[in-house]
Amino acid sequence: MKSLFNNYLRLLKTPDFFLLMLVIFVGQLATAFLILSLIVSVFLQTKSNFGISGIVLSVTVPGLMLMALAGLFADIFDRRKVIIFANIAIALVVLLILVSLKIVAVSIPLSFLYFAGNTFFLPASQAASGQIVKKRDLLSANSLFVFIFSAGILMGFFVAAIIHFLFGNFPTLIICEILLIIAVIFSIFLPALPPRKSKKYSIAGTILDIYKTFAYIFLKKSVWFSFIIFTLMQAILAFGVTLAPGFFDEVVGIGIEKSPIFIFPLIGIGVALGTFFVQMPHISESRYSALGIGFMGVGCLVLGFIIKSGQFGGLVLLLPLA
């Protein structure tokens, strides 16, 4: 554990790698601010979970539709340029969202455009993280990328919930725009990151490699099984996010402006515990997955029984969610 931590620390002392991690962290902070602001804004205007489903779809669909194309861009063009272009594009989208925040029919398509741009940012930044470091540090660099990416999202939700609780929706979006401008500025100082091309390189060959990767995923049972489990977990989370605003507003009795402050600290605690326990090598990852799914199932079951009984209400309903 100590040697792993020292390895991470050594990587972060590399200026270019640290700057890239900073760009990723700030960008994901901004993404969390935007998601929270859009969910609150759409629910306040529609009072409908159906409106929230539009936001959830705008977050997930671009990744499914464009990830292969985004990966191709990262393999063809300079990753630094892709990162800069993606950050500028999504910063402009947030500016448009600020102008049209009260128009739901505009906010959802703009959200789709934001996450389309973010889809191009992710593979370019991940490829860049492996390109900046030496070959022996690739595993550690990838691990740090995942950690920084997740930490940015989670901390963003936590901080955004507090800011939204204290100051409201519009200032939260303003901070989102400021964070994206900072990400653009940091991106400009990254070194040139042209893809490493072999002598036999061709666009057709790159597309074929992407096809082979997907074919490998779906032909290798252990891989596609994990992929399906992960996809189903994301579907459950998306279902929960869609229902959460209406649940807190109508069942718990806490308005959408205040409910995030009760949700995201619990998520942060869960991630912190997960990060601690996953370092224990004597427990398999499959057991952790089973425990996580089991806890979610039992929590939902208990919550259903409590609501059905009608004996309890208000903040007591948060205990099974915790």
Side-chain angles (χ1 to χ4, degrees):
M1 175 79 83
K2 188 176 180 180
S3 61
L4 185 65
F5 177 78
N6 289 334
N7 198 27
Y8 288 159
L9 198 60
R10 179 174 55 80
L11 282 177
L12 290 173
K13 287 180 179 178
T14 306
D16 290 338
F17 185 79
F18 177 76
L19 185 60
L20 177 63
M21 291 300 104
L22 204 56
V23 170
I24 294 167
F25 181 75
V26 173
Q28 298 320 299
L29 277 177
T31 297
F33 272 68
L34 178 69
I35 293 174
L36 181 64
S37 296
L38 287 176
I39 288 175
V40 172
S41 174
V42 170
F43 186 78
L44 284 176
Q45 292 175 69
T46 63
K47 291 294 180 182
S48 167
N49 288 326
F50 182 74
I52 302 301
S53 67
I55 297 298
V56 173
L57 287 174
S58 73
V59 173
T60 55
V61 170
L64 294 173
M65 293 176 59
L66 300 171
M67 187 55 74
L69 181 61
L72 182 62
F73 265 66
D75 285 338
I76 295 175
F77 301 107
D78 187 314
R79 280 89 186 244
R80 172 180 174 269
K81 292 180 180 177
V82 175
I83 291 170
I84 293 172
F85 175 78
N87 279 329
I88 291 174
I90 60 180
L92 291 174
V93 170
V94 171
L95 193 61
L96 292 174
I97 291 174
L98 277 166
V99 175
S100 58
L101 186 60
K102 294 183 179 180
I103 308 173
V104 175
V106 175
S107 295
I108 293 176
L110 286 175
S111 176
F112 185 96
L113 288 176
Y114 178 95
F115 288 98
N118 202 44
T119 299
F120 282 86
F121 168 79
L122 293 178
S125 58
Q126 186 168 21
S129 67
Q131 188 174 351
I132 289 174
V133 301
K134 295 178 180 178
K135 191 173 182 179
R136 63 186 173 88
D137 293 321
L138 284 175
L139 188 61
S140 297
N142 186 62
S143 179
L144 263 177
F145 170 84
V146 174
F147 176 77
I148 296 294
F149 176 86
S150 303
I153 287 284
L154 289 168
M155 185 174 290
F157 278 129
F158 181 76
V159 176
I162 296 172
I163 290 174
H164 192 279
F165 180 80
L166 295 174
F167 304 108
N169 210 25
F170 193 75
T172 306
L173 267 179
I174 291 290
I175 294 174
C176 172
E177 180 68 17
I178 292 171
L179 288 170
L180 288 173
I181 292 171
I182 292 172
V184 170
I185 294 170
F186 285 165
S187 302
I188 293 170
F189 292 100
L190 287 171
L193 297 167
R196 296 165 182 166
K197 300 177 181 178
S198 64
K199 294 180 180 179
K200 297 181 179 180
Y201 171 82
S202 67
I203 294 177
T206 303
I207 295 173
L208 182 62
D209 287 339
I210 293 172
Y211 169 77
K212 288 179 179 179
T213 301
F214 278 100
Y216 175 80
I217 289 173
F218 289 104
L219 290 176
K220 192 82 172 177
K221 287 185 177 180
S222 59
V223 176
W224 67 252
F225 181 76
S226 300
F227 182 77
I228 289 173
I229 293 296
F230 176 77
T231 304
L232 290 174
M233 289 299 296
Q234 297 308 305
I236 292 171
L237 289 174
F239 190 75
V241 170
T242 303
L243 294 179
F247 171 77
F248 275 91
D249 189 57
E250 298 173 15
V251 181
V252 181
I254 300 175
I256 186 69
E257 303 93 336
K258 298 179 181 179
S259 58
I261 204 73
F262 293 95
I263 300 172
F264 294 112
L266 296 176
I267 295 175
I269 291 170
V271 171
L273 290 173
T275 303
F276 173 76
F277 285 113
V278 82
Q279 303 298 328
M280 298 181 179
H282 59 280
I283 302 178
S284 65
E285 292 179 357
S286 59
R287 182 172 295 183
Y288 282 123
S289 299
L291 284 172
I293 295 169
F295 277 124
M296 287 178 66
V298 170
C300 291
L301 184 65
V302 171
L303 180 62
F305 278 125
I306 291 175
I307 295 173
K308 185 70 175 178
S309 69
Q311 299 298 315
F312 302 98
L315 294 178
V316 175
L317 297 176
L318 294 179
L319 294 177
L321 290 178

